[in-house]
Protein backbone atom coordinates (compact mmCIF):
# COMPACT_ATOMS: atom_id res chain seq x y z
CA UNK A 1 0.00 0.00 0.00
CA UNK A 2 1.34 3.45 -0.91
CA UNK A 3 2.40 5.48 2.15
CA UNK A 4 1.35 2.69 4.55
CA UNK A 5 3.78 3.57 7.36
CA UNK A 6 3.30 7.32 7.03
CA UNK A 7 -0.48 6.98 6.93
CA UNK A 8 -0.47 4.90 10.10
CA UNK A 9 1.80 7.31 11.94
CA UNK A 10 -0.28 10.34 10.92
CA UNK A 11 -3.50 8.63 11.98
CA UNK A 12 -1.90 7.80 15.35
CA UNK A 13 -1.28 11.55 15.74
CA UNK A 14 -4.97 12.34 15.18
CA UNK A 15 -5.14 13.16 11.47
CA UNK A 16 -7.46 11.87 8.79
CA UNK A 17 -5.38 10.64 5.86
CA UNK A 18 -6.32 10.06 2.21
CA UNK A 19 -3.86 8.61 -0.33
CA UNK A 20 -3.90 9.03 -4.10
CA UNK A 21 -1.78 7.83 -7.00
CA UNK A 22 -2.11 11.08 -8.95
CA UNK A 23 -2.66 14.79 -8.42
CA UNK A 24 -5.74 14.59 -10.65
CA UNK A 25 -7.34 12.00 -8.38
CA UNK A 26 -6.58 14.12 -5.31
CA UNK A 27 -7.99 17.25 -6.99
CA UNK A 28 -11.18 15.36 -7.90
CA UNK A 29 -11.53 14.26 -4.29
CA UNK A 30 -11.06 17.74 -2.84
CA UNK A 31 -13.40 19.23 -5.43
CA UNK A 32 -16.09 16.79 -4.30
CA UNK A 33 -15.47 17.23 -0.57
CA UNK A 34 -15.47 21.05 -0.46
CA UNK A 35 -18.76 22.57 -1.60
CA UNK A 36 -20.47 25.90 -0.83
CA UNK A 37 -17.84 26.88 1.71
CA UNK A 38 -15.55 29.82 2.28
CA UNK A 39 -12.07 28.56 1.44
CA UNK A 40 -8.62 29.99 2.13
CA UNK A 41 -5.47 28.83 0.39
CA UNK A 42 -1.87 29.26 1.45
CA UNK A 43 0.83 30.17 -1.03
CA UNK A 44 1.61 26.81 -2.62
CA UNK A 45 3.08 25.66 -5.90
CA UNK A 46 1.52 22.26 -5.20
CA UNK A 47 -2.02 23.66 -5.05
CA UNK A 48 -1.34 25.74 -8.16
CA UNK A 49 -0.08 22.72 -10.10
CA UNK A 50 -3.25 20.85 -9.13
CA UNK A 51 -5.50 23.64 -10.47
CA UNK A 52 -7.38 23.73 -7.18
CA UNK A 53 -8.21 27.43 -7.16
CA UNK A 54 -10.02 27.26 -10.49
CA UNK A 55 -11.88 24.09 -9.58
CA UNK A 56 -12.94 25.13 -6.09
CA UNK A 57 -13.81 28.72 -7.06
CA UNK A 58 -16.53 27.42 -9.37
CA UNK A 59 -18.69 26.42 -6.38
CA UNK A 60 -17.03 27.97 -3.32
CA UNK A 61 -15.91 31.44 -2.21
CA UNK A 62 -12.13 31.06 -2.43
CA UNK A 63 -9.62 33.59 -1.10
CA UNK A 64 -6.04 33.23 -2.32
CA UNK A 65 -3.42 35.95 -2.39
CA UNK A 66 -2.08 34.46 -5.65
CA UNK A 67 -5.39 35.40 -7.31
CA UNK A 68 -6.40 38.93 -6.35
CA UNK A 69 -9.77 40.26 -7.59
CA UNK A 70 -10.05 43.86 -8.73
CA UNK A 71 -10.43 46.17 -5.78
CA UNK A 72 -8.76 43.78 -3.33
CA UNK A 73 -5.22 43.64 -1.97
CA UNK A 74 -2.85 40.86 -0.96
CA UNK A 75 -3.58 41.74 2.67
CA UNK A 76 -7.33 41.49 2.03
CA UNK A 77 -6.99 38.02 0.54
CA UNK A 78 -4.76 36.76 3.32
CA UNK A 79 -7.18 38.04 5.96
CA UNK A 80 -10.18 36.50 4.19
CA UNK A 81 -8.31 33.23 3.75
CA UNK A 82 -7.40 33.09 7.42
CA UNK A 83 -11.06 33.63 8.35
CA UNK A 84 -12.42 30.97 5.98
CA UNK A 85 -14.25 27.82 6.98
CA UNK A 86 -11.80 25.60 5.09
CA UNK A 87 -8.07 26.09 4.64
CA UNK A 88 -5.75 24.36 2.19
CA UNK A 89 -1.98 24.35 2.13
CA UNK A 90 0.92 22.14 1.26
CA UNK A 91 3.88 21.41 3.54
CA UNK A 92 7.62 21.97 3.28
CA UNK A 93 8.63 18.75 4.98
CA UNK A 94 6.71 15.68 6.13
CA UNK A 95 8.46 13.11 8.29
CA UNK A 96 7.49 9.48 7.84
CA UNK A 97 7.30 9.45 11.64
CA UNK A 98 4.45 11.99 11.42
CA UNK A 99 5.87 15.46 12.11
CA UNK A 100 4.73 18.20 9.70
CA UNK A 101 7.09 21.12 9.04
CA UNK A 102 6.49 24.50 7.42
CA UNK A 103 8.68 27.57 7.00
CA UNK A 104 7.06 30.94 6.29
CA UNK A 105 7.90 34.60 5.75
CA UNK A 106 4.67 36.55 6.35
CA UNK A 107 3.39 33.74 8.59
CA UNK A 108 -0.21 33.96 7.37
CA UNK A 109 0.06 30.37 6.15
CA UNK A 110 1.46 28.83 9.34
CA UNK A 111 -0.99 30.86 11.44
CA UNK A 112 -3.93 29.68 9.34
CA UNK A 113 -2.82 26.05 9.41
CA UNK A 114 -2.66 26.04 13.20
CA UNK A 115 -5.95 27.67 14.19
CA UNK A 116 -9.37 28.95 13.25
CA UNK A 117 -10.99 26.72 10.63
CA UNK A 118 -13.62 24.01 10.51
CA UNK A 119 -11.18 21.87 8.58
CA UNK A 120 -7.63 22.09 7.27
CA UNK A 121 -6.37 20.04 4.32
CA UNK A 122 -2.60 19.63 4.00
CA UNK A 123 -1.55 18.33 0.59
CA UNK A 124 1.82 16.66 0.06
CA UNK A 125 3.45 15.07 -2.95
CA UNK A 126 5.88 12.19 -2.48
CA UNK A 127 8.86 14.54 -2.81
CA UNK A 128 7.95 16.26 0.48
CA UNK A 129 8.39 13.07 2.52
CA UNK A 130 11.56 12.38 4.52
CA UNK A 131 12.38 9.45 6.81
CA UNK A 132 12.36 11.30 10.15
CA UNK A 133 12.02 14.69 11.82
CA UNK A 134 15.63 15.78 11.34
CA UNK A 135 15.64 14.95 7.64
CA UNK A 136 12.22 16.60 7.14
CA UNK A 137 13.53 19.76 8.81
CA UNK A 138 16.65 19.60 6.64
CA UNK A 139 14.44 19.27 3.57
CA UNK A 140 12.31 22.26 4.53
CA UNK A 141 15.34 24.48 5.16
CA UNK A 142 17.71 23.31 2.43
CA UNK A 143 15.44 22.27 -0.45
CA UNK A 144 12.01 23.89 -0.15
CA UNK A 145 13.08 27.30 1.18
CA UNK A 146 15.89 27.97 -1.35
CA UNK A 147 13.70 26.93 -4.27
CA UNK A 148 10.89 29.17 -3.05
CA UNK A 149 13.35 32.04 -2.53
CA UNK A 150 14.57 31.62 -6.11
CA UNK A 151 10.96 31.52 -7.39
CA UNK A 152 10.16 34.73 -5.53
CA UNK A 153 13.28 36.48 -6.81
CA UNK A 154 14.42 37.64 -3.38
CA UNK A 155 17.98 38.80 -2.80
CA UNK A 156 19.27 36.09 -0.49
CA UNK A 157 22.31 33.79 -0.71
CA UNK A 158 20.08 30.72 -1.04
CA UNK A 159 18.10 32.19 -3.94
CA UNK A 160 21.21 32.66 -6.05
CA UNK A 161 22.04 28.96 -6.32
CA UNK A 162 18.93 27.41 -4.70
CA UNK A 163 21.30 24.87 -3.19
CA UNK A 164 21.02 25.21 0.60
CA UNK A 165 20.17 27.47 3.53
CA UNK A 166 22.88 29.97 4.44
CA UNK A 167 21.09 31.07 7.65
CA UNK A 168 21.37 34.63 6.38
CA UNK A 169 20.12 37.88 7.89
CA UNK A 170 19.20 39.37 4.52
CA UNK A 171 16.25 41.80 4.41
CA UNK A 172 14.64 39.53 1.83
CA UNK A 173 14.95 36.42 3.97
CA UNK A 174 11.81 34.25 3.68
CA UNK A 175 12.72 31.87 6.54
CA UNK A 176 11.16 33.87 9.36
CA UNK A 177 9.01 31.26 11.06
CA UNK A 178 9.35 27.54 11.62
CA UNK A 179 6.20 25.60 12.46
CA UNK A 180 6.17 21.97 13.55
CA UNK A 181 2.94 20.08 14.07
CA UNK A 182 3.87 17.34 16.52
CA UNK A 183 0.23 16.21 16.76
CA UNK A 184 -3.07 17.34 15.26
CA UNK A 185 -4.02 20.65 16.89
CA UNK A 186 -7.03 20.53 19.18
CA UNK A 187 -10.25 21.94 17.75
CA UNK A 188 -10.87 21.62 14.03
CA UNK A 189 -10.50 18.62 11.76
CA UNK A 190 -7.29 18.02 9.82
CA UNK A 191 -6.93 15.80 6.75
CA UNK A 192 -3.60 15.00 5.13
CA UNK A 193 -3.73 14.36 1.38
CA UNK A 194 -0.81 12.19 0.22
CA UNK A 195 -0.09 12.01 -3.51
CA UNK A 196 2.30 9.56 -5.16
CA UNK A 197 3.72 12.25 -7.49
CA UNK A 198 6.34 14.95 -7.04
CA UNK A 199 4.56 18.28 -6.59
CA UNK A 200 5.79 21.72 -5.62
CA UNK A 201 9.00 22.31 -3.71
Amino acid sequence: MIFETLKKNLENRGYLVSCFDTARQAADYLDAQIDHKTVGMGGSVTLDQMGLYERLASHNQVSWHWRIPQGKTVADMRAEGNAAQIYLSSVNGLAETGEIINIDATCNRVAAICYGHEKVYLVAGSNKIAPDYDSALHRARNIAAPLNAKRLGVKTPCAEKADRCYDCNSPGRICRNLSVLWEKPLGGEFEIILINEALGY
Side-chain angles (χ1 to χ4, degrees), residues 46-112:
T46 295
L47 301 183
D48 199 27
Q49 289 174 336
M50 293 172 68
L52 281 174
Y53 176 85
E54 290 74 18
R55 295 191 64 167
L56 293 175
S58 68
H59 55 104
N60 297 277
Q61 180 184 325
V62 182
S63 300
W64 196 22
H65 65 283
W66 286 13
R67 303 285 192 278
I68 304 174
Q70 186 174 358
K72 298 278 188 174
T73 66
V74 169
D76 291 334
M77 303 317 291
R78 284 175 173 154
E80 289 177 14
N82 284 26
Q85 294 167 292
I86 307 295
Y87 196 78
L88 290 91
S89 179
S90 187
V91 304
N92 297 134
L94 175 56
E96 196 166 359
T97 45
E99 297 91 349
I100 300 171
I101 297 171
N102 277 295
I103 291 174
D104 213 351
T106 306
C107 303
N108 63 297
R109 182 172 60 100
V110 294

Side-chain angles (χ1 to χ4, degrees), residues 7 21-22 32 50 57 67 82 92 97 102 108 121 130-131 139 161 172 176 183 189-190:
K7 183 175 187 291
D21 288 325
T22 68
M50 293 172 68
R67 303 285 192 278
N82 284 26
N92 297 134
T97 45
N102 277 295
N108 63 297
Y121 291 92
R139 187 204 184 279
K161 295 182 179 179
R176 294 177 178 267
E183 307 273 342
E189 190 173 84
F190 279 67

Side-chain angles (χ1 to χ4, degrees), residues 1-161:
M1 178 181 174
I2 299 171
F3 307 126
E4 183 174 2
T5 299
L6 174 56
K7 183 175 187 291
K8 180 180 178 181
N9 287 335
L10 287 168
E11 288 173 343
N12 287 341
R13 292 173 185 258
Y15 300 101
L16 300 171
V17 183
S18 297
C19 303
F20 301 91
D21 288 325
T22 68
R24 176 60 183 269
Q25 291 171 348
D28 288 344
Y29 172 77
L30 290 167
D31 196 22
Q33 292 293 307
I34 304 169
D35 189 39
H36 290 94
K37 296 284 188 177
T38 56
V39 179
M41 292 173 59
S44 168
V45 173
T46 295
L47 301 183
D48 199 27
Q49 289 174 336
M50 293 172 68
L52 281 174
Y53 176 85
E54 290 74 18
R55 295 191 64 167
L56 293 175
S58 68
H59 55 104
N60 297 277
Q61 180 184 325
V62 182
S63 300
W64 196 22
H65 65 283
W66 286 13
R67 303 285 192 278
I68 304 174
Q70 186 174 358
K72 298 278 188 174
T73 66
V74 169
D76 291 334
M77 303 317 291
R78 284 175 173 154
E80 289 177 14
N82 284 26
Q85 294 167 292
I86 307 295
Y87 196 78
L88 290 91
S89 179
S90 187
V91 304
N92 297 134
L94 175 56
E96 196 166 359
T97 45
E99 297 91 349
I100 300 171
I101 297 171
N102 277 295
I103 291 174
D104 213 351
T106 306
C107 303
N108 63 297
R109 182 172 60 100
V110 294
I113 287 171
C114 293
Y115 179 77
H117 308 283
E118 292 177 9
K119 185 165 184 175
V120 172
Y121 291 92
L122 298 177
V123 184
S126 56
N127 55 314
K128 303 294 184 73
I129 300 168
D132 53 30
Y133 169 76
D134 287 338
S135 54
L137 176 59
H138 183 274
R139 187 204 184 279
R141 293 193 69 188
N142 294 282
I143 297 175
L147 288 171
N148 275 308
K150 184 175 182 179
R151 174 180 61 84
L152 293 168
V154 296
K155 303 299 183 184
T156 60
C158 72
E160 189 172 329
K161 295 182 179 179

